Amino acid sequence: MQHGVAWLIAGTAGEGLEAGGETFARALAALGYRPTTQRDFPSRIRGGDTTFTVRLTPEGHLCPPERIDLALAFNATVLPRVDARMGKGALILLDDGVGPFVSTNGATVEPFPFTALATAAGLAKAKNMVALGASAALLGVALDALLASVGDQFASKGAKVVEQNRAALKAGHAEALSRFGQSPKFSAPKPGTAPALFLSGNEAAALGALAAGCRVAAAYPITPASDILEYMTPRLMALGGTALQMEDELAAANVLAGAGFAGTKALTATSGPGLSLMTEALGFAGSAETPLVVVDCQRPGPSTGMPTKHGQEDLWHLIHGGHGEHVRIVLSPTDVADAFHATSEAFRLSEQWRCPTFVALDQQMSLFKQTAAPFDVAAAAKRHAPRGPSPAVVGSSSWDQTYTPYGDPGAHPQRIALPGEPGGRFYSNSTEHAASGFTNEQPHLRVAMVDRRLARMAAIPASVDRPVTLEGPADAPIALVSWGSTVEACREAAIRLAANGVKAKVVAVRLLWPFPRTEFLAAIGSARLLVVEANAFAQLARLVKSEAPVHDRLTSVLQYDGLTMASDRILDAVGGMA
Amino acid sequence: MESPSPTPSPSAKLTFKEFKGKDPIWCPGCGDFGVLTAMQKAAANLGLDPNTTVLATGIGCSGNITAYFRTFGIHGIHGRVLPLATGVKVANPALTVIAAGGDGDGFGIGLGHFLHASRRNVDLTYIVMDNQVYGLTKGQTSPTTPMEMSTKASPLGPLAAPLNPLALALSAGATFVAQAFSGNMAQLVAILEAAVKHQGFAFVNVQSPCVTYNLVNTYDFFRANTKDIAAAGHDASDWDAAMRVANDRANVPVGILYQATRPTLHDMAHPLPADAGVPSAVQAAADPAKALAHSKKRFDGWLDEFRAR
């Protein structure tokens, strides 16, 4: 029942399959379903096999289905990969000329004239629309919403193209009804009625940044982060901000340091390889106390790794990366809606604590889509108290000792003077410095400066909105502990466990660093811990063990094959607990 | 909190002494003293407001100049001064931004940014104190070290041909390219004033002798070998002539090699006017709720794009 129904379209990249899948998912969302999507695509522009999955479950948690129920395939090479995810009762429809193919897993395989019906409708490439029509019939989804959605999608291409696509859609629908009967072959969970957004975490994060007053973005292209800058560029222009594609990530991170020093809220979006290059500049921001926000859309490494696959391998880099010891904040939103909130919040924290702040996304959350209740953008912006007046008196400067930019007590940083303000001239300095900002290596001043950083680290968790979340019964004997989008699989697993009579709670670490020890210990109570994450070195589990005395009650659930985690893996792990 | 005043002219002009910061810790006789004094004089002559001026620097002897020049400053990391300064400028275009560093900082570890800042035509002044050697790390070769010059730290010399920063800047699209000698104060001040006034990326390569580690390119060498290109009739609007001057190996050309007008980064990044009355980037950061209220319709529209339909 939690599985819902899973639908997949497969073929050669560049055939419009993803666009068709997106249209389908968006239309389903409009009907009140809770679709989630999943893309599996190669690191090349055209060609190569691609699959696009749409899953419908009652709760709409962003995690993959364990198996596919209905697959529509447009080439032969992709079939073994598709078949591997199917089983008895599943159906594969093959386009004309593809096959014959025999499922090794007991799925039914049938030919279906996708291309022929599209050609008859006047547009051969509308075979994806034939596929959507057939799918609507097989899943029992109303055709009207799809027809409207197609109208929206192709409106800019003219009435003729809209009509051809609609004709293809109807033809696929009618053909499927005549072949498979009037009653749907697969039953989707009942749709709800709430008006919903349907978007990716990258899109949500970008909106969160804009709501927080971010007006400078600088980045270098990298999968799966590139569309954040693409999304923000035209919108920043309208808002009088600036978006820059820089020559490399070194430059992007340094633009942020300059922009943060000058008093703007600035963002970059990158992935592991880019984060490695940015690390030196982020250390600068840590030492010079410059606010900036980095969205890390993780992918598997090391080095180039697997650019278009999923992984959560940057945790240690995010919390420890770089030389020396400095203040930083690492947030980990747990679903698409949370990517909006956490990114907005990152700017508030970065400015309050005068330090680089990270938002850890992962491929699943960055690129895959999910429904979300409409964001309250105004409320998010209101969480940012207006910046107070300059702390510096007019005409003051650190040179004549009338302003001390680094003189505040660490646990309560005051805002720093900005260039352009009439006082508080100083120079922002990442060489170890005294309160004045001037380079100073005297032992007692060095100790004071480091103690100030330590005081900040200790005070940060209490200032963060929901550093740890606890969902489910507090007294549950099992806690599924996770971070990032893997929390979604834990949520789904908890629902399935409850249906089996097993009580489990979900503990999400939203603030990875400074680690919220108090809040974490309160959330886990005395439960046994399953720490669930998409890496091989158990990065969160080791972090937890370094902060909490839970060594004898912690088990890791790890996945590092480049795929996203299904709740089944967690159920298996719970089943395996003695 | 309103944004910083965009007017860079204080009521009363400051003297160059009022741009003086800490006492430098450079070696006695270092060419960088001349550059610092010239910057202070140019700033005073131009009537710069130290509160709306930012000096961004790299790492090296030259980078320490942030402590010696009493404006706002940001002392960045090695080789990254240009993207750092670019960030300051795009954040608040009302600021006067000066970037400074050495030849190792700008043409070694930071060379890529030098070329890209040139082609981006970001509106700032970039002063390189070029002494053909790494001083602070005690005498290694730099990208501009002549092949025949060896040092104690690099007894075989650079094992590479020297770069030509002037030709590089020209070929990368810089709209102001000049060279000066720190031993010629009057000319250096005039060139720096012209560079700061220039709308776009202004590159000034200053031959700034290292008296400790470079015993080849000395004050005497430059006095004997600099050639005033303006006096020789050079036309700074002629890019081809500028390229010929940049490649003059017989002399050390000093003066403005090239100056042209081209859209700046700010112009290119904002081809359309922003929404009327929209808060500046600094204002938006200072009060996001107010900025959001101003652009509420925009945000509503952007949310609507994601509404399932």
Side-chain angles (χ1 to χ4, degrees):
Chain A
M1 149 111 183
Q2 284 307 316
H3 165 74
V5 64
W7 171 97
L8 177 149
I9 191 164
T12 308
E15 284 188 305
L17 304 182
E18 291 209 356
E22 287 264 0
T23 302
F24 192 43
R26 182 174 286 261
L28 291 168
L31 286 168
Y33 293 99
R34 309 287 304 273
T36 58
T37 67
Q38 191 194 357
R39 297 161 58 190
D40 184 13
F41 58 106
S43 183
R44 58 195 272 186
I45 296 174
R46 280 175 192 273
D49 292 334
T50 179
T51 69
F52 188 95
T53 305
V54 178
R55 184 183 184 210
L56 299 176
T57 55
E59 291 82 12
H61 289 306
L62 183 60
C63 55
E66 180 66 4
R67 60 177 194 281
I68 302 295
D69 302 295
L70 172 61
L72 318 173
F74 290 85
N75 75 26
T77 55
V78 77
L79 287 173
R81 207 161 98 193
V82 172
D83 186 41
R85 299 177 64 190
M86 313 209 50
K88 247 180 139 54
L91 174 63
I92 306 179
L93 297 183
L94 301 181
D95 195 12
D96 320 297
V98 180
F101 179 78
V102 177
S103 170
T104 56
N105 292 310
T108 305
V109 184
E110 300 261 2
F112 198 91
F114 296 111
T115 303
L117 289 174
T119 307
L123 193 65
K125 67 180 175 187
K127 62 188 178 186
N128 56 359
M129 292 299 140
V130 177
L132 299 198
S135 303
L138 286 161
L139 299 178
V141 170
L143 190 62
D144 298 357
L146 272 172
L147 287 167
S149 187
V150 165
D152 272 3
Q153 189 186 333
F154 294 102
S156 64
K157 296 188 176 169
K160 189 177 172 197
V161 174
V162 170
E163 270 327 297
Q164 287 168 331
N165 277 283
R166 283 184 171 158
L169 196 64
K170 287 181 195 162
H173 191 258
E175 183 70 19
L177 290 181
S178 78
R179 289 188 181 217
F180 300 105
Q182 292 291 323
S183 61
K185 199 162 163 43
F186 302 96
S187 59
K190 276 204 164 69
T193 51
L197 304 180
F198 180 66
L199 75 173
S200 71
N202 277 357
E203 292 164 336
L207 264 180
L210 294 173
C214 170
R215 293 295 182 270
V216 174
Y220 185 77
I222 190 166
T223 303
S226 301
D227 56 359
I228 291 182
L229 187 68
E230 288 166 21
Y231 179 81
M232 290 182 78
T233 298
R235 289 162 181 84
L236 282 173
M237 274 169 57
L239 297 174
T242 305
L244 296 176
Q245 181 186 320
M246 296 304 291
E247 55 267 31
D248 51 35
E249 285 93 345
L250 308 172
N254 280 280
V255 165
L256 261 57
F261 160 75
T264 54
K265 291 193 163 102
L267 169 139
T268 191
T270 189
S271 189
L275 184 67
S276 292
L277 287 176
M278 290 179 177
T279 299
E280 189 190 18
L282 303 177
F284 168 86
S287 177
E289 303 185 14
T290 310
L292 55 83
V293 171
V294 178
V295 178
D296 177 24
C297 307
Q298 297 170 89
R299 70 192 211 190
S303 193
T304 305
M306 300 198 286
T308 65
K309 304 297 180 206
H310 174 79
Q312 298 177 302
E313 300 180 11
D314 293 353
L315 192 159
W316 288 346
H317 190 140
L318 288 165
I319 67 174
H320 295 314
H323 56 279
E325 300 167 324
H326 67 81
V327 179
R328 72 180 90 196
I329 298 169
V330 183
L331 300 176
S332 164
T334 65
D335 60 20
V336 163
D338 200 19
F340 170 81
H341 293 292
T343 308
S344 175
E345 188 80 349
F347 283 96
R348 182 181 71 78
L349 295 166
S350 180
E351 177 145 329
Q352 177 182 346
W353 296 103
R354 298 173 26 172
C355 70
T357 300
F358 301 85
V359 181
L361 305 186
D362 47 47
Q363 188 220 30
Q364 173 166 249
M365 202 189 310
S366 281
L367 299 185
F368 303 169
K369 295 189 180 178
Q370 176 179 35
T371 52
F375 303 147
D376 189 341
V377 177
K382 281 200 186 102
R383 287 186 54 77
H384 300 245
R387 191 179 278 164
S390 169
V393 291
V394 173
S396 62
S397 91
S398 60
W399 281 272
D400 56 20
Q401 297 171 4
T402 51
Y403 178 57
T404 50
Y406 303 100
D408 55 67
H412 304 284
Q414 37 170 251
R415 93 152 173 88
I416 206 159
L418 302 174
E421 292 179 337
R425 256 181 289 160
F426 75 103
Y427 80 95
S428 181
N429 191 1
S430 85
T431 312
E432 191 58 285
H433 40 262
S436 62
F438 291 110
T439 297
N440 195 313
E441 298 176 346
Q442 289 186 67
H444 71 285
L445 289 176
R446 157 71 177 183
V447 169
M449 198 51 69
V450 174
D451 287 347
R452 201 166 146 270
R453 290 175 193 136
L454 287 170
R456 247 169 235 206
M457 294 295 284
I460 284 170
S463 73
V464 175
D465 174 36
R466 295 171 294 135
V468 175
T469 57
L470 165 64
E471 297 161 35
D475 63 346
I478 296 170
L480 307 176
V481 178
S482 192
W483 62 292
S485 76
T486 307
V487 172
E488 282 283 86
C490 293
R491 289 177 176 136
E492 186 172 290
I495 296 170
R496 293 177 66 183
L497 287 167
N500 296 342
V502 179
K503 253 163 80 171
K505 58 186 174 183
V506 176
V507 174
V509 185
R510 288 183 77 253
L511 173 66
L512 291 167
W513 198 255
F515 190 81
R517 188 170 184 273
T518 308
E519 294 83 353
F520 181 77
L521 288 172
I524 58 172
S526 58
R528 295 186 63 185
L529 311 183
L530 275 182
V531 181
V532 189
E533 52 191 320
N535 60 61
F537 283 22
Q539 297 191 23
L540 177 62
R542 291 194 194 206
L543 173 62
V544 163
K545 284 193 275 191
S546 75
E547 296 280 345
V550 292
H551 298 57
D552 56 348
R553 54 178 167 124
L554 184 154
T555 308
S556 271
V557 180
L558 305 171
Q559 182 169 343
Y560 43 87
D561 56 3
L563 303 175
T564 50
M565 190 176 295
S567 57
D568 303 71
R569 182 176 290 255
I570 301 165
L571 259 63
D572 289 349
V574 172
M577 289 169 80
Chain B
M1 163 69 222
E2 292 303 304
S3 82
S5 156
T7 45
S9 47
S11 49
K13 268 194 181 184
L14 302 177
T15 67
F16 86 96
K17 285 184 184 167
E18 286 163 294
F19 287 91
K20 278 193 170 179
K22 293 259 183 194
D23 290 334
I25 55 168
W26 294 318
C27 304
C30 175
D32 294 353
F33 283 101
V35 177
L36 174 61
T37 304
M39 283 168 59
Q40 290 159 343
K41 287 188 170 176
N45 293 346
L46 290 169
L48 294 187
D49 177 350
N51 287 319
T52 61
T53 302
V54 173
L55 175 62
T57 54
I59 293 289
C61 293
S62 55
N64 289 334
I65 200 167
T66 16
Y68 316 146
F69 189 72
R70 194 189 287 225
T71 63
F72 274 95
I74 181 165
H75 189 181
I77 52 178
H78 198 23
R80 315 295 165 217
V81 63
L82 285 173
L84 188 71
T86 299
V88 174
K89 187 67 184 179
V90 300
N92 186 350
L95 299 172
T96 299
V97 180
I98 301 169
D103 43 305
D105 192 77
F107 311 140
I109 188 169
L111 178 66
H113 307 308
F114 174 50
L115 300 177
H116 291 286
S118 295
R119 54 186 279 263
R120 208 171 267 132
N121 201 30
V122 51
D123 185 18
L124 55 84
T125 303
Y126 181 38
I127 302 166
V128 173
M129 286 157 259
D130 184 358
N131 59 11
Q132 297 85 38
V133 76
Y134 283 72
L136 205 51
T137 49
K138 305 200 189 305
Q140 296 83 5
T141 66
S142 94
T144 51
T145 304
M147 289 199 79
E148 59 278 11
M149 183 175 130
S150 62
T151 69
K152 193 176 162 191
S154 302
L156 299 175
L159 307 179
L163 287 179
N164 183 333
L166 302 172
L168 282 171
L170 286 167
S171 60
T175 52
F176 183 105
V177 178
Q179 181 157 263
F181 166 44
S182 73
N184 184 341
M185 181 60 60
Q187 187 192 41
L188 178 53
V189 171
I191 288 176
L192 291 181
E193 286 179 30
V196 172
K197 278 197 279 191
H198 177 71
Q199 300 273 310
F201 185 70
F203 168 53
V204 183
N205 197 57
V206 186
Q207 296 294 341
S208 179
C210 174
V211 294
T212 304
Y213 292 110
N214 187 340
L215 307 181
V216 176
N217 305 119
T218 60
Y219 285 94
D220 285 345
F221 168 84
F222 287 114
R223 285 193 189 103
N225 290 287
T226 47
K227 176 181 170 186
D228 186 332
I229 56 173
H234 172 65
D235 174 4
S237 69
D238 183 341
W239 188 89
D240 293 303
M243 209 57 173
R244 283 194 295 277
V245 169
N247 284 297
D248 175 1
R249 312 235 165 194
N251 303 286
V252 178
V254 288
I256 298 171
L257 279 75
Y258 184 63
Q259 186 166 13
T261 305
R262 183 161 75 73
T264 64
L265 175 63
H266 183 82
D267 301 333
M268 294 186 286
H270 302 93
L272 305 169
D275 295 345
V278 77
S280 73
V282 175
Q283 287 170 328
D287 194 344
K290 193 172 163 189
L292 183 75
H294 181 277
S295 302
K296 185 168 183 313
K297 275 189 181 154
R298 290 272 185 194
F299 277 88
D300 287 347
W302 295 335
L303 269 182
D304 201 46
E305 290 167 12
F306 296 120
R307 214 170 284 273
R309 60 166 69 85

